[in-house]
Amino acid sequence: MLSVLLLATGLGAAISPGPTAWAQGCAAVDVVIARGTTEPGYLGAAVGDPLYAVLRERLAVDTSAHRVDYPADLLVPSSVSDGTRAMTGHLVARAAACPDQRFILVGYSQGAVVTHGVLGSPAALLLPGMWTLPPELSHRVLAVLLFGDPLRLVGATVHPWYADRTQNYCAAGDPVCAGGIFPAAHGTYEWAFADAAGQVNARL
């Protein structure tokens, strides 16, 4: 069942954010993105790349972007735990290097489960090997953006610390987050990107 829930179609066209987007300087906001299962693209063709293009254009501050380096592969049993280790490690390192930097955490499909794990969401902690963000860094998380979240299907929510800054988008008919019957819906989240940018801007 978990394998079915974590399946990402990887539909959509990659949009390159450009070389300056990956600079490791202390941008005001670092957008940290965990892609979906076998999703192509650097940040993810279906969500990460096009979402970051919208955020970079619309946010009122300078940003950088980071791809969570994890397998994103259902054939790798440790994929989700590897993702939580990679995302948590990046956040801890950047928080130390850039004391004023804040973070937007983005997870799509399997990447949403990774993000849940990093945030210490109760349902995600039932999975083995989760690495969680130290509580003292929770205030550095500006926003959490989840797309096609498999844990939403079972009624799971993020840790209460992050509830007021989390947007969880689920397309109608998406089998992964809504139990729908339209697999193609799992790869069509462009409709949510402008709203996500607006939600983040409201928190700046």
Side-chain angles (χ1 to χ4, degrees):
M1 175 62 77
L2 183 59
S3 295
V4 173
L5 294 179
L6 295 182
L7 181 63
T9 62
L11 299 176
I15 299 175
S16 173
T20 59
W22 322 120
Q24 289 302 302
C26 293
V29 173
D30 189 31
V31 184
V32 183
I33 300 176
R35 69 198 188 284
T37 305
T38 66
E39 186 185 5
Y42 186 73
L43 298 171
V47 170
D49 290 327
L51 171 65
Y52 183 61
V54 172
L55 293 176
R56 192 169 52 130
E57 176 185 350
R58 300 195 181 197
L59 295 190
V61 295
D62 62 313
T63 64
S64 57
H66 176 77
R67 166 191 165 110
V68 175
D69 185 14
Y70 84 112
D73 189 337
L74 297 178
L75 298 180
V76 179
S78 63
S79 182
V80 172
S81 61
D82 289 346
T84 62
R85 183 178 68 248
M87 182 183 276
T88 299
H90 173 78
L91 294 171
V92 169
R94 297 310 295 164
C98 302
D100 297 322
Q101 189 171 67
R102 292 189 289 174
F103 306 102
I104 299 171
L105 307 188
V106 178
Y108 168 52
S109 198
Q110 185 176 168
V113 181
V114 168
T115 306
H116 272 289
V118 171
L119 299 178
S121 301
L125 294 183
L126 296 176
L127 300 172
M130 295 294 98
W131 291 56
T132 59
L133 188 67
E136 61 268 24
L137 296 181
S138 62
H139 70 285
R140 303 282 291 272
V141 177
L142 173 66
V144 179
L145 305 175
L146 303 176
F147 301 86
D149 173 13
L151 294 183
R152 175 174 170 145
L153 185 60
V154 296
T157 59
V158 297
H159 191 287
W161 287 348
Y162 304 98
D164 65 341
R165 52 194 130 154
T166 296
Q167 300 297 318
N168 193 323
Y169 298 98
C170 181
D174 186 337
V176 174
C177 58
I181 59 172
F182 302 108
H186 191 57
T188 55
Y189 277 92
E190 295 87 351
W191 56 269
F193 298 161
D195 180 78
Q199 296 289 341
V200 174
N201 262 327
R203 298 194 58 82
L204 290 173

